[in-house]
Amino acid sequence: MKKDLKQKIGVYICECGGNISDYVDVEKVAKAVENEPGVYLVQTTMFTCSDSAQIEIIEGIKENNLDSMVVASCSPKLHLLTFRDVAKRAGLNQYNYVHANIREQCSWAHSDRTEEATDKAVRLVRAAIAKVRLSESLETIEIEAKNVAAIVGAGVSGLRSAIDLADQGTQVYLIERDHFVGGRTAQWGKLFPTNEDGKELVERLYKQIKERENITVFTGADIQSLDGSVGDFKLGVKISPRHITGACDEETSDQLYKVCPQETDDEFNFGLTKRKAIYKNYKNAYPENPVVDMDLCDKCGECLKVTNSNINLEQEAENITLNVGAILLNTGFDPYEPKDGEFGYKTIDNVITLPQFRRLLDMSNGSLEYNGKSIRDIAYIYCVGSRQPDGENKHCSRYCCTSAIQSALNVKSKYSDVRNFHINRGIRTYGKQETCYVDSTKQGDVYLQFFEKSFPTLEKIGDKTIITLNDALTDNETMEVSADLVVLVTGMVPRKEDTVAGILKVPIGSDKFYNEIHTKLRPVETVIDGIFIAGACQSPKNIRATMASTLSATAKANSLISTGKIELEPIIATIDTNLCEWCGKCDELCSYNAFEKVEIDGKMVAQVNKAICKGCGACAPICEVNAINIIGSSDEEVEVMIDAFVKDVQFIEDHKAKEAEKTVGKTDDTEKLKKALPEIGKKILQSLESEAKSVPEIAADIQHPADDVLYYLMSLRKYGFVKETGEINDDEYYLYELKQ
């Protein structure tokens, strides 16, 4: 059936405050496309995304009874939803709008070749016009959603998410791989800036969890499988037993630890101590009962002599399925483990990592000792395994400097005779954390700096380790530090044994952490609808930043499933069942498992799960009988776009007014430009009406950051609204005034 071609298309071309118009002649683009089939109105604007420009577009659509629109501006990643909303407010179907990216794909990419950039911009806009002529009015897909969320990871991020979601009426399943909650925070001791102990924070959050009936906590739980789609996920979980079946008080627990003959390195204390086969991470760990490590236990029966009523060594793992509407990943991080020999690690006996040192400090009483030797001089070597010129860990973890300095403050407050030496590549205690650095310098800590081309060297001499470096702060003078203990300040890396990403198909970034859709616009969402990420599984974060991302993910999940209904994009794959004869290639290729095999009219064909399909189009080219089409990007639409793009561009230099019913906006119309200005631009002009002012003076007058004022002031200068006076005020700032 022939499509109803759009005949009254509005085309809106953005100058983007010079980001586009500095390299693309937008007027030439407007003239070149005004006679394209179906085009009724062409208009250029300084900032198409501004409120005033949006209102003007809406009024133009209504006044001219347009049936579709094209916006040529920046990336659709930034403003696709903005202009869909404009279309809806103007009475158009939001899918009768097509976006042309003439900034990232044109002006920025070809800023050194302006003529060719203009030519390409015309082609991109023509292709968008050709596509929108074939556009159909689509409706979003509505599916039911279960107001139930699964939170994977019960560190402070997961605990906080569970509390907030539960308080908003959502049923929450909190899934933790370890047998105890709290994650890394429980290992850290005192936290900056509150000086609250990490265990105290975990205890406070866990008690709030226990007060809420709509939170179920699963410990010793591993994700095994995922089926279904957003709103109706089926999460397979394997729960390993604790083998402690009843309440176990502190006295009984102590007896069990005492009689158990099997022991191993204690992971919670980073191998500094040993633990038994029956263990707790620490005395007040939650849940309260100990757990039996069956990989270590030899079933000797000694524990049964203490209390056989509370112990069942024959318990087996349980497999359950959780039906949830959304999933939040808060799986955290691992501390970087230095390689053997890296700055003496595991080859010099008094070299440890910062996580080990924090546990050592937390456990120490009376005197500070390591390997039976008293510690007085401590050297901290920063950026071990981070900011590497070679290797995978090129990132800065952003918390390590503060953590090391806070540890130095804590050790000094506990043992006043200790001396701290900080051997660093530049201290990064940003924001309020700078006070930590100031306090450290005031207590007499010594800071020495090295560069990546000249790393410190370590040599063990007697009980001391001698660190030699060229100190950048004293013009590369060679320095030696004699230390009783060397602390390697290590950062965050992704979890080593992470099977969750593969099971849930969550994308991994180049840094190996979980990857969001867009850092600024969709910072906690993944490409899998209904799966969100937060905290240090996404990138290195301190607790404050972790909580901020956690609250964002929680809000997103709640808004998605709380109403019981979810609206999804209608741009998905469709199957022509007359052509399809199930071969399975589409199913093999699909990253989202959106295809299933069904029987229709006596033959097996492919069927698309509308709730899962992302409309990526990867399946279409591998279908040998061409039975797959993508709504919004059909073969016909793609072909007309290609034809429009490759057609030669003919610029109309002697352009006169079109027919009365058609309009081309003029960027030299001062009043129209003023109307299109964002609010800050208008405020700047108002501020300059009385007298000439500098950037700081304007910023103070209109209550906007000086950087924003400068940005918009330069655009106003470019378009002839303001000019320099040629004078400089007492503070040596240039003065600006209105251009008459």
Side-chain angles (χ1 to χ4, degrees):
M1 186 175 74
K2 189 175 178 62
K3 288 188 177 181
D4 181 22
L5 299 180
K6 302 294 182 292
Q7 297 298 328
K8 298 190 75 174
I9 304 168
V11 180
Y12 302 92
I13 305 170
C14 184
E15 298 179 10
C16 199
N19 282 296
I20 293 173
S21 58
D22 282 353
Y23 315 105
V24 171
D25 189 330
V26 294
E27 285 302 319
K28 275 191 174 182
V29 176
K31 294 172 186 177
V33 303
E34 63 180 345
N35 290 318
E36 287 295 305
V39 173
Y40 186 84
L41 180 148
V42 182
Q43 187 171 331
T44 61
T45 60
M46 185 188 294
F47 295 103
T48 310
C49 60
S50 68
D51 290 343
S52 57
Q54 290 182 42
I55 292 171
E56 189 173 350
I57 292 172
I58 292 169
E59 291 173 349
I61 291 172
K62 290 179 178 179
E63 289 172 4
N64 295 285
N65 197 27
L66 302 183
D67 55 20
S68 54
M69 62 182 277
V70 168
V71 176
S73 61
C74 57
S75 169
K77 284 187 175 182
L78 293 170
H79 286 301
L80 178 72
L81 298 181
T82 300
F83 295 116
R84 278 187 179 177
D85 183 61
V86 168
K88 288 193 290 185
R89 286 153 58 197
L92 292 180
N93 183 279
Q94 61 180 316
Y95 298 101
N96 290 144
Y97 141 68
V98 171
H99 199 100
N101 183 356
I102 61 171
R103 190 178 74 175
E104 282 81 354
Q105 292 182 356
C106 195
S107 69
W108 283 358
H110 310 295
S111 58
D112 57 334
R113 301 169 66 182
T114 56
E115 290 186 10
E116 289 90 339
T118 301
D119 180 275
K120 183 178 178 181
V122 172
R123 297 172 185 271
L124 289 170
V125 176
R126 283 195 319 208
I129 293 169
K131 181 178 180 181
V132 85
R133 287 192 77 211
L134 298 175
S135 66
E136 298 178 273
S137 296
L138 305 175
E139 296 300 327
T140 55
I141 300 168
E142 189 176 273
I143 62 172
E144 292 186 2
K146 290 177 171 56
N147 190 18
V148 183
I151 299 173
V152 184
V156 291
S157 175
L159 295 172
R160 180 77 260 176
S161 292
I163 293 166
D164 288 350
L165 276 173
D167 287 348
Q168 295 176 81
T170 299
Q171 173 68 43
V172 178
Y173 297 121
L174 183 56
I175 302 166
E176 170 56 47
R177 174 180 290 177
D178 195 359
H179 285 281
F180 303 94
V181 303
R184 296 295 180 192
T185 301
Q187 297 175 290
W188 293 154
K190 287 186 178 181
L191 305 173
F192 179 83
T194 62
N195 272 336
E196 181 180 22
D197 191 284
K199 301 181 187 68
E200 295 173 356
L201 174 58
V202 171
E203 180 179 4
R204 178 155 48 85
L205 291 172
Y206 186 75
K207 285 182 176 178
Q208 293 181 56
I209 293 280
K210 297 298 288 182
E211 292 170 357
R212 288 156 173 80
E213 294 182 357
N214 54 343
I215 301 178
T216 304
V217 180
F218 298 100
T219 57
D222 278 303
I223 305 298
Q224 299 292 302
S225 63
L226 178 71
D227 291 313
S229 57
V230 58
D232 188 24
F233 289 116
K234 293 176 179 60
L235 198 61
V237 181
K238 178 182 178 181
I239 302 175
S240 300
R242 302 182 80 84
H243 300 285
I244 306 292
T245 57
C248 193
D249 59 36
E250 187 175 327
E251 182 180 351
T252 303
S253 297
D254 289 340
Q255 290 178 343
L256 290 172
Y257 307 148
K258 186 176 180 179
V259 302
C260 180
Q262 300 297 322
E263 66 177 19
T264 187
D265 289 339
D266 190 344
E267 305 94 333
F268 185 81
N269 290 328
F270 298 104
L272 294 175
T273 59
K274 299 288 186 179
R275 69 161 172 83
K276 297 297 185 70
I278 299 179
Y279 72 98
K280 289 180 72 173
N281 281 348
Y282 55 95
K283 182 177 179 180
N284 296 321
Y286 293 96
E288 294 84 348
N289 275 357
V291 65
V292 180
D293 181 355
M294 293 307 296
D295 291 332
L296 185 61
C297 176
D298 61 358
K299 296 185 179 181
C300 66
E302 291 298 320
C303 57
L304 298 175
K305 296 176 183 177
V306 175
T307 169
N308 60 10
S309 61
N310 285 357
I311 297 178
N312 180 359
L313 298 181
E314 305 305 322
Q315 266 186 309
E316 295 185 355
E318 180 183 3
N319 291 291
I320 63 173
T321 299
L322 302 176
N323 199 185
V324 301
I327 300 171
L328 280 71
L329 297 180
N330 298 273
T331 52
F333 69 98
D334 280 331
Y336 173 73
E337 176 79 9
K339 301 178 180 66
D340 289 2
E342 187 174 2
F343 292 106
Y345 186 66
K346 290 188 177 180
T347 57
I348 298 178
D349 62 5
N350 62 348
V351 175
I352 63 175
T353 64
L354 179 60
Q356 288 177 311
F357 179 65
R358 293 191 67 121
R359 293 302 308 136
L360 178 68
L361 185 58
D362 196 36
M363 294 185 295
S364 65
N365 290 301
S367 62
L368 182 63
E369 296 182 353
Y370 181 69
N371 283 343
K373 298 173 184 176
S374 181
I375 304 300
R376 184 177 181 189
D377 295 321
I378 304 175
Y380 306 84
I381 300 179
Y382 285 63
C383 297
V384 175
S386 296
R387 300 167 64 198
Q388 296 173 329
D390 300 311
E392 294 183 349
N393 302 333
K394 298 185 182 301
H395 59 270
C396 167
S397 289
R398 303 179 73 237
Y399 94 108
C400 334
C401 289
T402 304
S403 184
I405 295 172
Q406 188 208 11
S407 299
L409 291 173
N410 291 341
V411 73
K412 190 79 170 180
S413 67
K414 201 170 181 179
Y415 307 101
S416 58
D417 61 339
V418 166
R419 292 181 296 206
N420 295 307
F421 299 87
H422 301 265
I423 302 170
N424 65 88
R425 289 176 58 192
I427 299 298
R428 297 184 176 187
T429 49
Y430 58 93
K432 292 184 178 180
Q433 296 168 147
E434 190 73 11
T435 59
C436 200
Y437 171 72
V438 172
D439 291 341
S440 169
T441 58
K442 286 181 178 178
Q443 75 175 13
D445 287 5
V446 177
Y447 284 82
L448 304 169
Q449 187 172 337
F450 66 94
F451 294 126
E452 66 180 41
K453 293 182 180 179
S454 180
F455 285 98
T457 59
L458 283 74
E459 181 183 7
K460 184 68 183 292
I461 300 178
D463 290 340
K464 298 275 189 177
T465 295
I466 307 300
I467 303 153
T468 305
L469 73 151
N470 295 324
D471 178 32
L473 303 178
T474 55
D475 198 21
N476 285 332
E477 184 176 341
T478 301
M479 298 281 190
E480 288 188 353
V481 175
S482 177
D484 300 309
L485 185 69
V486 178
V487 178
L488 305 183
V489 181
T490 55
M492 298 180 182
V493 295
R495 289 282 192 185
K496 296 182 183 70
E497 298 178 3
D498 184 7
T499 59
V500 174
I503 294 170
L504 303 188
K505 293 184 167 41
V506 177
I508 302 295
S510 58
D511 58 3
K512 309 303 181 184
F513 288 93
Y514 292 162
N515 208 19
E516 68 283 338
I517 291 177
H518 191 282
T519 306
K520 292 184 178 180
L521 301 178
R522 301 175 72 181
V524 296
E525 298 174 65
T526 70
V527 295
I528 310 297
D529 287 336
I531 299 182
F532 304 90
I533 53 177
C537 68
Q538 180 183 12
S539 64
K541 293 180 177 71
N542 61 22
I543 291 179
R544 283 189 170 183
T546 292
M547 289 303 184
S549 68
T550 293
L551 295 176
S552 174
T554 301
K556 283 285 185 182
N558 178 259
S559 65
L560 180 70
I561 63 177
S562 60
T563 63
K565 302 271 184 195
I566 298 177
E567 287 190 349
L568 301 176
E569 285 278 297
I571 300 174
I572 60 173
T574 60
I575 305 294
D576 186 338
T577 55
N578 293 321
L579 296 176
C580 178
E581 294 181 356
W582 175 265
C583 65
K585 290 183 179 179
C586 54
D587 184 47
E588 293 172 10
L589 183 71
C590 182
S591 301
Y592 307 101
N593 295 328
F595 290 93
E596 55 185 329
K597 184 179 180 181
V598 298
E599 183 177 347
I600 297 179
D601 296 333
K603 70 171 182 175
M604 305 308 295
V605 297
Q607 181 173 283
V608 177
N609 185 326
K610 295 180 179 180
I612 298 178
C613 181
K614 304 292 292 183
C616 67
C619 54
I622 56 96
C623 182
E624 295 180 357
V625 295
N626 202 29
I628 303 176
N629 243 325
I630 309 299
I631 295 174
S633 295
S634 64
D635 290 351
E636 184 181 5
E637 287 167 302
V638 173
E639 288 167 2
V640 297
M641 289 178 72
I642 293 171
D643 291 341
F645 188 87
V646 300
K647 187 173 66 175
D648 287 340
V649 175
Q650 299 293 329
F651 290 112
I652 305 171
E653 298 296 341
D654 185 23
H655 177 71
K656 296 182 179 180
K658 289 181 64 178
E659 299 89 346
E661 71 272 12
K662 294 188 179 181
T663 306
V664 176
K666 303 294 184 179
T667 57
D668 58 357
D669 185 337
T670 304
E671 291 306 313
K672 181 172 286 189
L673 278 174
K674 280 187 178 181
K675 187 177 179 182
L677 286 175
E679 196 62 32
I680 185 174
K682 295 174 183 177
K683 288 182 178 180
I684 292 171
L685 296 182
Q686 290 172 0
S687 178
L688 293 175
E689 286 179 354
S690 57
E691 60 178 335
K693 294 176 183 172
S694 66
V695 169
E697 290 169 338
I698 298 170
D701 185 29
I702 69 173
Q703 297 296 302
H704 275 273
D707 288 347
D708 293 350
V709 169
L710 180 61
Y711 175 82
Y712 285 100
L713 188 66
M714 291 303 99
S715 293
L716 293 171
R717 175 179 173 274
K718 171 182 171 58
Y719 288 99
F721 288 107
V722 301
K723 65 178 182 178
E724 301 96 334
T725 65
E727 299 176 0
I728 300 176
N729 68 9
D730 293 339
D731 295 324
E732 298 187 351
Y733 286 103
Y734 286 104
L735 296 176
Y736 295 87
E737 63 182 358
L738 295 179
K739 189 173 182 180
Q740 302 300 323

